[in-house]
Amino acid sequence: MSVKYVNQEEAKKLDEELMNEKSGFINEQLMELAGLSSACAIFECYPKEKYSNVLLIIGPGNNGGDGMVCARHLVHFGYNPILFYPRVKDQPPFKGLIKQCEHLKIPIHKNQPTLDPKEIHLIVDAIFGYSFTGEIRSPFDAIIKNVNDCKIPVFSIDIPSGWNVEKGNEEGKGLNADTLISLTVPKLGVKNFKGKHYLGGRFVPPVLAEKYNLNIPQFSGTQQYVLLSE
């Protein structure tokens, strides 16, 4: 059977169960594993010899945290990450993630760098995750438009930002990603995603996978991601 694509409520309940007293995970753990799996997928899909300079656009919530973790791992993988973080959150766990990035001398910008394909080889979309609802507000509406207008490949974490979690990019205002890594399980809105699609977040206990009939595919060896479609 193929992997299950979940709706927003199912995704929320699964996260809550992962972080309840019985399962024992904490948010920072899941963020770390999500960011690691994203960086590993980038390493496979976008070789550093061609895509060394990576701009990560960091949103205000957990998806942005995943992006900062990803940036940290990319440094250790030999890339040159740059953070564009327009709305900095000065509270845990984000405060600590910022310090970790600063310690690795990762540049952090509050204003958008020029999207020049000669200077930036890959954009990582870590703006909004599965909890996103409603309209895309400033400054992210303009940021998404600018990214869509440039000719730089885009790798989205969990779901392309601005997409409806269950209906996809129906209104055409969301981000156009070339590659996607869904986290934990894929969401309904990306069922017809046209680019290369990975699944990351190798941490779901079998008891929860069975409870939600997730049909998570087999991960190979020590890999932190699995390819769903290309």
Side-chain angles (χ1 to χ4, degrees), residues 79-95:
Y79 293 81
N80 305 312
I82 304 160
L83 298 187
F84 171 32
Y85 197 2
R87 285 193 176 171
V88 175
K89 259 192 171 177
D90 190 27
Q91 62 189 60
F94 309 101
K95 188 173 183 179

Side-chain angles (χ1 to χ4, degrees), residues 108-124:
I108 302 175
H109 299 271
K110 289 186 178 180
N111 297 316
Q112 182 177 296
T114 302
L115 301 180
D116 182 352
K118 293 180 181 179
E119 300 294 330
I120 296 171
H121 309 135
L122 176 67
I123 293 173
V124 174

Side-chain angles (χ1 to χ4, degrees), residues 120-178:
I120 296 171
H121 309 135
L122 176 67
I123 293 173
V124 174
D125 159 34
I127 304 174
F128 302 128
Y130 77 81
S131 59
F132 172 79
T133 57
E135 293 295 314
I136 307 169
R137 297 185 176 88
S138 178
F140 299 106
D141 52 353
I143 292 169
I144 288 172
K145 183 180 184 306
N146 290 340
V147 172
N148 284 342
D149 288 344
C150 79
K151 295 182 179 180
I152 301 170
V154 177
F155 179 99
S156 284
I157 296 179
D158 199 30
I159 187 168
S161 289
W163 286 35
N164 182 287
V165 179
E166 296 175 7
K167 298 178 181 178
N169 195 22
E170 275 190 337
E171 297 182 7
K173 296 179 181 178
L175 194 144
N176 299 324
D178 301 283

Side-chain angles (χ1 to χ4, degrees), residues 7-100:
N7 61 35
Q8 192 170 40
E9 186 61 28
E10 287 173 316
K12 182 181 177 184
K13 284 182 178 178
L14 181 56
D15 261 7
E16 288 173 351
E17 288 212 46
L18 283 166
M19 291 185 282
N20 68 16
E21 191 172 308
K22 188 174 182 180
S23 296
F25 284 95
I26 60 173
N27 186 45
E28 288 87 339
Q29 274 183 292
L30 301 185
M31 203 175 279
E32 182 66 31
L33 292 167
L36 173 60
S37 62
S38 300
C40 289
I42 289 170
F43 185 82
E44 178 190 275
C45 194
Y46 296 98
K48 61 183 177 181
E49 291 78 14
K50 186 177 179 181
Y51 300 95
S52 58
N53 297 339
V54 182
L55 177 67
L56 298 99
I57 306 178
I58 306 300
N62 286 345
N63 197 251
D66 298 341
M68 284 190 276
V69 172
C70 177
R72 196 183 73 234
H73 287 291
L74 287 177
V75 169
H76 297 299
F77 292 171
Y79 293 81
N80 305 312
I82 304 160
L83 298 187
F84 171 32
Y85 197 2
R87 285 193 176 171
V88 175
K89 259 192 171 177
D90 190 27
Q91 62 189 60
F94 309 101
K95 188 173 183 179
L97 292 171
I98 292 168
K99 287 182 178 179
Q100 291 166 21

